[in-house]
């Protein structure tokens, strides 16, 4: 976990005046606005930018970027600030470009199952817009994040086990490069062998290579039938083993979410539900009526083999919505277990065969710690999260939380996994990059960054150690 100190670069008054002339009240230097834009949803301290620009067009973003490049001032792109590893902190000061007013849905191509949106469109806004078309966009991080931010963090969520992550669902991007040029990374074809895959280079680049202003996305038909179930297990291992066997059997579940006993307690309290407080899986199945029935029966039989105590169905949309709303509020529910404390969230991802070991050992560490921790996971992908509750002003609690956090990440790496399945690196996880990738791979990443952003102005201090 990173404790580095960063030197701020002074933003010249002349740049702020030029931007104010250009944008009027769409430039802000109000303290509250700066503070809000320098802080994400996690425990990481705020590091405010010197000004926030609310852009409305790609051309305007390009103008702002050119001016910042001329003055050698850092640029931090901003979606809705729901990231969790200090991603939006302006560690060296500079200008934050807030994309939230670029919220137009530019085209929906029903026949091709795709759409093009501006970067500030949120995932819920897109699905509301699509409601009457019979299509939907499946990627669902717990927060109502912007599509630009989700692209920049290579986000995923509960549906990724069936529909993939942002990596699989972005067709092309419009990007403003660090010198202010506007480029498009690809066309709309579903596949292409034409040259370097720049789309995939920018997906997950966390604002360090350019500002994404438009995104073309894959869409999916709303399935004919959907069914959800809640299944309670006698142990963490039984729940995880059910997941592993389901995935290994090739069952195309849409969602398999693990929630440990402490997480269920938090959800019951926060969402006024009455789930049994025990290791639990939430499932969702998509397909035809017959397909959904077949998948569900298979999973139920596997769960029973591992000693599942209850298997409750939610076939009505209203009940399914209630179930997933409670799941999506798991983070805020956990925070309310000890009001006033901050949460240190972290996620790792391991090969599915190593999941039982990774989660059981993490839970044992948490049980032996004086700090309260919840575990929840998109386990169908081998991905799980721990939220550690702590008082950031108490050095002993901070040290203990960091110890738990680091052990969880080191264990995932030892098991052939990654230090983050979906939240990304920001500056919170910089220290694990070399351990995960090796020095030569990091040197190549650094060379790519230097080639595209030679002045090092795009979101400095993030993603690649030593920049
Ligand atoms: C309660 C909760 C639950 C969450 N659950 C999940 C989950 O299940 N799965 C998951 O993947 N994440 C999850 N997250 C994390 C977060 O929602 C995602 O990382 C999300 O993708 C961030 O989007 P944003 O719009 O908030 O981006 P921001 O936080 O504003 O920015 C994130 C990063 O992307 C860069 N960026 C933003 N917009 C652009 C752009 N247009 N061009 C270039 N760079 C840009 C920023 O500079 C920053 O580095 C959760 C967060 C919360 C608070």
């Amino acid at each position: 976990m990173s404790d580095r100190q960063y030197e701020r670069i002074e933003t010249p008054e002349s740049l702020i005046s030029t931007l104010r002339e250009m944008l009027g009240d769409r430039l802000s230097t109000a303290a509250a606005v700066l503070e809000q834009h320098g802080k994400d949803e996690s425990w990481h301290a705020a590091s405010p930018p010197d000004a926030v620009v609310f852009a409305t067009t790609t051309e305007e973003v390009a103008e702002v970027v050119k001016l910042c490049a001329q003055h050698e001032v850092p640029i931090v792109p901003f979606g809705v600030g729901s990231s969790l590893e200090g991603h939006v902190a302006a560690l060296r000061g500079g200008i934050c470009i807030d994309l939230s007013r670029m919220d137009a849905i530019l085209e929906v191509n029903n026949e091709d199952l795709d759409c093009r949106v501006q970067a500030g469109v949120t995932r819920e806004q897109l699905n509301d817009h699509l409601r009457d078309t019979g299509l939907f966009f499946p990627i669902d991080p717990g927060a109502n994040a912007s599509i630009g931010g989700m692209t920049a963090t290579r986000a995923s969520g509960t549906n990724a086990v069936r529909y993939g992550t942002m990596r699989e669902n972005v067709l092309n991007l419009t990007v403003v490069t660090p010198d202010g040029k506007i480029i498009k990374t690809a066309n709309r074809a579903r596949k292409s062998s034409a040259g370097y895959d720049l789309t995939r280079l920018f997906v997950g680049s966390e604002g360090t290579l350019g500002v994404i202003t438009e995104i073309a996305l894959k869409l999916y038909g709303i399935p004919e039938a959907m069914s959800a179930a809640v299944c309670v297990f006698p142990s963490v291992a039984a729940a995880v083993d059910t997941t592993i066997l389901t995935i290994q059997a090739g069952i195309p579940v849409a969602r398999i979410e693990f929630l440990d006993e402490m997480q269920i307690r938090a959800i019951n309290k926060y969402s006024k539900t009455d789930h049994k407080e025990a290791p639990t899986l939430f499932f969702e199945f998509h397909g035809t009526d017959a397909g959904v029935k077949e998948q569900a029966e298979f999973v139920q039989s596997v769960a029973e083999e591992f000693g599942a105590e209850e298997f409750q169905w939610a076939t009505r949309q209203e009940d399914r919505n209630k179930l997933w709303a409670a799941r999506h509020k798991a983070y805020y529910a956990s925070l309310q277990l000890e009001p006033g404390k901050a949460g240190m969230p972290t996620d790792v991802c391991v090969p599915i065969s190593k999941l039982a070991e990774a989660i059981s050992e993490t839970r044992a560490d948490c049980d032996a710690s004086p700090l309260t921790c919840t575990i929840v996971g998109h386990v169908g992908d081998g991905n799980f999260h721990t939220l550690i509750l702590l008082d950031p002003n108490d050095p002993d609690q901070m040290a203990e939380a960091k110890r738990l956090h680091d052990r969880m990440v080191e264990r995932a790496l030892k098991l052939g996994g990654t230090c983050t399945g979906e939240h990304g690196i920001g500056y919170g996880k910089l220290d694990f990059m070399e351990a995960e990738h090796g020095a030569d791979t990091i040197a190549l990443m650094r060379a790519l960054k230097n080639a595209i952003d030679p002045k090092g102005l795009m979101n400095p201090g993030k993603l690649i150690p030593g920049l």
Side-chain angles (χ1 to χ4, degrees):
M1 182 164 299
S2 188
D3 281 326
R4 294 176 175 81
Q5 296 297 313
Y6 296 87
E7 218 172 285
R8 287 179 76 95
I9 296 166
E10 205 180 321
T11 301
E13 244 336 291
S14 59
L15 172 62
I16 302 221
S17 323
T18 311
L19 289 173
R20 183 166 281 125
E21 244 167 65
M22 185 177 138
L23 300 162
D25 62 4
R26 287 191 292 110
L27 174 126
S28 177
T29 51
V33 175
L34 301 183
E35 186 80 8
Q36 182 224 334
H37 283 80
K39 169 109 184 77
D40 61 22
E41 292 245 8
S42 74
W43 63 282
H44 291 288
S47 186
D50 297 315
V52 178
V53 157
F54 294 90
T56 52
T57 63
T58 297
E59 290 68 27
E60 202 168 72
V61 172
E63 279 313 301
V64 173
V65 169
K66 267 185 210 153
L67 284 166
C68 289
Q70 272 163 25
H71 289 82
E72 307 210 348
V73 163
I75 299 157
V76 184
F78 187 96
V80 303
S82 71
S83 42
L84 296 168
E85 293 293 350
H87 290 75
V88 295
L91 298 175
R92 296 191 191 280
I95 305 294
C96 169
I97 304 185
D98 182 319
L99 284 297
S100 61
R101 296 192 195 176
M102 291 185 62
D103 62 354
I105 294 166
L106 301 167
E107 50 186 82
V108 175
N109 303 299
N110 294 39
E111 290 174 351
D112 293 320
L113 298 167
D114 69 32
C115 69
R116 189 163 59 91
V117 302
Q118 285 187 315
V121 168
T122 66
R123 66 174 183 85
E124 287 180 6
Q125 181 196 344
L126 177 58
N127 278 320
D128 285 347
H129 181 89
L130 292 172
R131 187 160 294 148
D132 297 330
T133 64
L135 301 174
F136 79 116
F137 178 65
I139 316 295
D140 65 337
N144 185 20
S146 70
I147 301 293
M150 288 167 60
T151 305
T153 53
R154 205 187 296 131
S156 47
T158 64
N159 280 311
V161 62
R162 167 121 185 193
Y163 298 96
T165 70
M166 288 305 280
R167 180 179 62 187
E168 288 79 28
N169 285 288
V170 172
L171 288 171
N172 67 54
L173 299 169
T174 302
V175 178
V176 174
T177 57
D179 54 359
K181 289 198 183 75
I182 299 170
I183 62 149
K184 196 160 164 221
T185 58
N187 279 334
R188 248 185 345 116
R190 284 278 161 147
K191 60 185 207 181
S192 164
S193 296
Y196 294 134
D197 191 345
L198 294 185
T199 308
R200 242 51 56 185
L201 179 63
F202 283 99
V203 173
S205 60
E206 299 188 2
T208 63
L209 298 179
V211 185
I212 298 161
T213 57
E214 290 179 15
I215 303 111
L217 297 167
K218 292 183 190 172
L219 301 175
Y220 297 81
I222 295 175
E224 174 189 314
M226 287 190 212
S227 166
V230 177
C231 190
V232 176
F233 290 87
S235 66
V236 169
V240 178
D241 286 338
T242 299
T243 307
I244 294 172
L245 202 65
T246 301
I247 296 299
Q248 287 173 342
I251 302 300
V253 276
R255 291 164 153 169
I256 307 189
E257 293 290 303
F258 169 76
L259 303 94
D260 78 348
E261 188 177 334
M262 190 64 86
Q263 183 64 70
I264 292 284
R265 185 173 308 160
I267 283 186
N268 279 342
K269 207 167 147 204
Y270 188 79
S271 293
K272 313 270 179 284
T273 48
D274 58 358
H275 297 293
K276 182 169 176 188
E277 290 178 11
T280 300
L281 291 176
F282 286 3
F283 292 98
E284 191 163 274
F285 307 99
H286 292 180
T288 58
D289 281 327
V292 161
K293 189 164 173 282
E294 197 184 343
Q295 291 174 44
E297 280 172 2
F298 179 89
V299 172
Q300 184 163 1
S301 71
V302 173
E304 281 165 2
E305 216 174 285
F306 285 106
E309 292 166 10
E310 278 176 41
F311 208 92
Q312 282 175 359
W313 292 101
T315 33
R316 289 188 317 153
Q317 183 166 0
E318 194 187 324
D319 296 335
R320 280 205 318 274
N321 290 350
K322 201 169 150 204
L323 186 69
W324 295 113
R327 165 62 190 90
H328 277 130
K329 287 178 196 149
Y331 179 77
Y332 302 105
S334 297
L335 288 176
Q336 284 310 306
L337 278 174
E338 293 182 6
K341 285 205 171 168
M344 182 185 284
T346 190
D347 88 298
V348 295
C349 189
V350 295
I352 193 85
S353 65
K354 306 292 183 195
L355 190 61
E357 192 176 342
I359 297 191
S360 299
E361 289 184 16
T362 302
R363 189 61 257 175
D365 270 3
C366 295
D367 289 341
S369 168
L371 299 180
T372 300
C373 314
T374 55
I375 299 182
V376 65
H378 312 308
V379 280
D381 295 317
N383 182 205
F384 67 100
H385 309 230
T386 302
L387 185 70
I388 309 167
L389 299 181
L390 75 152
D391 173 0
N393 300 315
D394 179 332
D396 290 342
Q397 289 193 20
M398 268 314 279
E400 171 63 3
K402 284 184 180 180
R403 187 188 69 83
L404 287 174
H405 170 280
D406 291 5
R407 271 176 67 83
M408 174 173 163
V409 174
E410 282 154 13
R411 182 179 301 117
L413 293 180
K414 204 175 70 204
L415 294 173
T418 172
C419 67
T420 172
E422 55 181 26
H423 291 167
I425 299 297
Y427 71 97
K429 281 203 166 150
L430 273 181
D431 286 349
F432 301 105
M433 281 292 274
E434 195 159 319
E436 178 162 339
H437 295 289
D440 290 343
T441 305
I442 294 294
L444 182 58
M445 287 192 196
R446 205 173 282 136
L448 277 169
K449 161 79 175 170
N450 286 336
I452 295 170
D453 180 22
K455 293 179 179 170
L457 298 179
M458 292 301 312
N459 205 4
K462 312 292 168 55
L463 193 65
I464 301 176
L467 288 178

